[in-house]
Amino acid sequence: MASRIAVIGIIVEEPDSVKELNQILHEYGEYIIGRMGIPYRQRGVNIISVAMDAPQDMINAMTGKIGRLAGISAKAVCSKKAENI
């Protein structure tokens, strides 16, 4: 199966949705290389970057689930090169 490197950009505007967000990230944990969170206190949001190495359908599925959470936005940027795993 072809795997790509991706970075998922997540903006959390609704703190009540963080529990569900963490559950989704845990569900896809085997594909996550690392993550970084930055609290932006002046704007009352949190910015999270998640690096992944996963098949395209897993990247899309995780990003879609996160983006459907209330008060959370997510977008993925994927590498052009895919490698078989």
Side-chain angles (χ1 to χ4, degrees):
M1 181 178 292
S3 180
R4 294 180 185 268
I5 296 172
V7 177
I8 315 301
I10 303 167
I11 304 218
V12 180
E13 298 176 290
E14 182 54 60
D16 292 339
S17 296
V18 170
K19 184 176 181 179
E20 292 93 342
L21 171 61
N22 284 328
Q23 288 173 343
I24 294 168
L25 292 173
H26 179 74
E27 180 183 340
Y28 290 89
E30 68 183 279
Y31 301 109
I32 294 175
I33 300 166
R35 71 186 207 180
M36 175 182 63
I38 303 169
Y40 188 12
R41 290 180 183 87
Q42 292 99 332
R43 298 285 297 265
V45 301
N46 290 296
I47 303 159
I48 302 169
S49 296
V50 178
M52 298 180 72
D53 187 353
Q56 187 70 52
D57 59 338
M58 291 296 171
I59 296 166
N60 293 341
M62 188 183 90
T63 305
K65 286 181 182 181
I66 293 170
R68 286 191 290 277
L69 295 174
I72 297 183
S73 302
K75 295 287 181 186
V77 177
C78 300
S79 65
K80 292 183 179 185
K81 183 179 177 183
E83 291 192 20
N84 288 327
I85 54 172

